[in-house]
Amino acid sequence: MAAVTDQVKRLFTLSLGDLNPFRREENYVSVDIGSSSIKVIEARTGVHGIEVLNFGSVPTPTSAIHSNMVTEPDMVGEALRGLLEHKGIRARKAITAVPGPAVMIKRVSLPNQSPQETEQAVLLEARNFIPEELDNVNLDFQVTSTAMGNDDVEVLMAAAKKDIVSSYADTLRVAGLTPVVIDVDYFALDNMYELNYDPLENQVAALVNIGSRYSSINILKEGRSTFTGDVPVGGRDITEALVRDLGIPADEAERIKLGVAAGDFDEEQISMALLPAVDALIEEVHYALSFFWTAATDERIDVLYLSGGGAMTPELANRLAERAEAPVEVTDPFGRIFIDEEVDAAALRRRASEFAIAMGLAVRRPVDK
Ligand SMILES: Nc1ncnc2c1ncn2[C@@H]1O[C@H](COP(=O)(O)OP(=O)(O)OP(=O)(O)O)[C@@H](O)[C@H]1O
Ligand SMILES: [Mg+2]
């Protein structure tokens, strides 16, 4: 892409880049900083394509993330540094993502013109859709399609406030890493999907990532992203419902939710507290999906892929399938990925859905290598 004007700093490099499967490269570490945990994957491009060399996670220090921003980069960075040390991860080039809710995303169709003209047109559009001074945001764009039936091309624009983006970059630096790409979690999920699944002709798939404090929705038509949205609910709300209804502390509620302890409760008491919270989460997701149904009246969603730690919530997948009247699968982000023999692959597979975003980030490379 052409150099950007001084007014915008290229931040997100949205393309997958070209992966040369025969070239061994240095290792990169991808870092998914969530409000409940920090997840990392060390990977490189080798003879098997992307190869996972190491992975791990550590709880995020409490109250270190607010309003989609790392408010305590020192604390989070130190926790990350500890995790890297503990796992023996020595890669220093890092890829991370800002949370989707922090990002303004817009798709516009523009005349097919020179890169410089496209950039000017993007700036003009950006002034209209971004409710901020352009000086205060990081903006990037990518031409995503030429198949509009006329001479127009589709351009995907993404913008995030600079202080939010720098809070993530600073966190990596505290941990001794060099941020080389800052992506958006939605796009990382796209890339994870593209690596592992072959979309069928005309298929509409919804990627639904259930995190701790928010869940994101990404609708793909034949593998191309057409709609992104998020809802402010996730696994934390389920734990909080257990705390409230069973009158127990959060750590006990968390263990009960994960099925590792039952405390003093029988199955029925647990279900009675759990299911309404699961259904409330499903309603929120369904509501967000309904925006897609409204915008595209003749479309239906053929399949939903769940990811994120919350994807494993008991009863979530089958109840969501009933509500959305479509099959729901828990995503396997490592289905087609080579996992190095040094890695405890069984442990990774048990928690695979939690690492979906980190895996999607692991394929990103800086454009200017
Ligand atoms: N096996 C499981 N069953 C049910 N819930 C689970 C399971 N494993 C993890 N979770 C829940 O998943 C949530 C964490 O998911 P994830 O790691 O995707 O969130 P996060 O990235 O830290 O948060 P966010 O992105 O929302 O800031 C927690 O609420 C946790 O309780
Ligand atoms: Mg997350």
Side-chain angles (χ1 to χ4, degrees):
M1 270 195 251
V4 277
T5 58
D6 288 345
Q7 215 167 354
V8 283
K9 287 264 182 335
R10 172 91 358 115
L11 172 80
F12 312 110
T13 40
L14 302 180
S15 62
L16 251 175
D18 70 65
L19 293 176
N20 177 348
F22 300 109
R23 217 186 88 208
R24 258 224 167 152
E25 55 156 28
E26 62 190 306
N27 302 356
Y28 285 78
V29 58
S30 58
V31 184
D32 173 15
I33 302 174
S35 53
S36 82
S37 70
I38 307 166
K39 294 148 286 264
V40 299
I41 287 181
E42 185 179 31
R44 70 166 171 228
T45 312
V47 286
H48 305 283
I50 286 280
E51 303 174 349
V52 171
L53 306 170
N54 209 332
F55 78 100
S57 73
V58 69
T60 305
T62 28
S63 313
I65 294 185
H66 275 295
S67 311
N68 302 314
M69 181 164 170
V70 186
T71 44
E72 302 286 350
D74 288 342
M75 269 162 64
V76 179
E78 283 308 326
L80 172 57
R81 179 200 289 276
L83 171 65
L84 299 172
E85 259 168 38
H86 172 68
K87 301 299 293 188
I89 293 175
R90 280 197 284 278
R92 283 298 160 250
K93 290 193 176 164
I95 302 145
T96 195
V98 288
V103 183
M104 295 160 269
I105 294 173
K106 187 157 178 165
R107 296 170 179 81
V108 289
S109 75
L110 294 174
N112 193 2
Q113 50 201 352
S114 74
Q116 290 79 3
E117 285 166 327
T118 302
E119 202 174 294
Q120 287 310 317
V122 163
L123 275 177
L124 208 67
E125 290 285 339
R127 284 200 189 90
N128 291 331
F129 96 93
I130 298 172
E132 288 283 336
E133 288 286 317
L134 284 193
D135 278 350
N136 298 338
V137 301
N138 289 102
L139 172 70
D140 200 3
F141 67 94
Q142 185 179 325
V143 176
T144 53
S145 115
T146 47
M148 301 279 292
N150 51 32
D151 275 335
D152 284 357
V153 292
E154 193 186 274
V155 175
L156 174 67
M157 298 161 63
K161 281 175 151 182
K162 277 185 184 164
D163 50 356
I164 292 184
V165 175
S166 21
S167 78
Y168 285 83
D170 290 347
T171 302
L172 297 192
R173 290 191 194 100
V174 170
L177 299 175
T178 306
V180 293
V181 175
I182 309 230
D183 203 340
V184 182
D185 56 10
Y186 296 147
F187 302 149
L189 277 179
D190 274 11
N191 284 336
M192 179 282 300
Y193 175 82
E194 196 171 313
L195 275 176
N196 289 291
Y197 293 86
D198 295 317
L200 305 173
E201 203 177 322
N202 290 323
Q203 189 187 50
V204 179
L207 311 185
V208 180
N209 190 80
I210 315 280
S212 168
R213 96 210 114 111
Y214 74 95
S215 300
S216 61
I217 289 156
N218 196 345
I219 294 182
L220 308 177
K221 258 189 231 177
E222 284 189 16
R224 277 195 45 219
S225 174
T226 57
F227 173 93
T228 42
D230 57 82
V231 287
V233 286
R236 190 175 64 180
D237 298 271
I238 312 240
T239 307
E240 279 172 4
L242 294 180
V243 167
R244 211 173 42 236
D245 293 2
L246 301 177
I248 50 172
D251 52 348
E252 189 183 348
E254 184 72 17
R255 283 198 298 276
I256 289 180
K257 183 177 81 170
L258 303 185
V260 293
D264 296 331
F265 306 98
D266 61 32
E267 230 171 81
E268 200 187 326
Q269 285 170 305
I270 295 172
S271 296
M272 273 178 49
L274 189 81
L275 294 183
V278 171
D279 285 341
L281 192 152
I282 288 173
E283 274 320 301
E284 293 276 356
V285 170
H286 191 261
Y287 181 69
L289 291 172
S290 71
F291 281 102
F292 168 75
W293 279 307
T294 318
T297 40
D298 56 340
E299 297 279 3
R300 50 166 294 114
I301 292 171
D302 298 303
V303 57
L304 289 90
Y305 289 101
L306 281 185
S307 60
M312 308 303 288
T313 306
E315 298 295 321
L316 175 65
N318 56 322
R319 291 170 94 90
L320 178 59
E322 241 170 64
R323 184 71 176 96
E325 296 176 15
V328 173
E329 279 183 38
V330 175
T331 316
D332 181 4
F334 303 99
R336 292 183 181 167
I337 305 294
F338 177 86
I339 298 174
D340 191 80
E341 59 195 22
E342 300 281 309
V343 175
D344 181 350
L348 178 58
R349 291 194 189 285
R350 269 197 303 279
R351 300 174 53 203
S353 65
E354 240 177 291
F355 285 85
I357 289 172
M359 187 59 234
L361 291 174
V363 302
R364 297 298 317 280
R365 293 293 175 268
V367 170
D368 308 309
K369 279 207 236 192

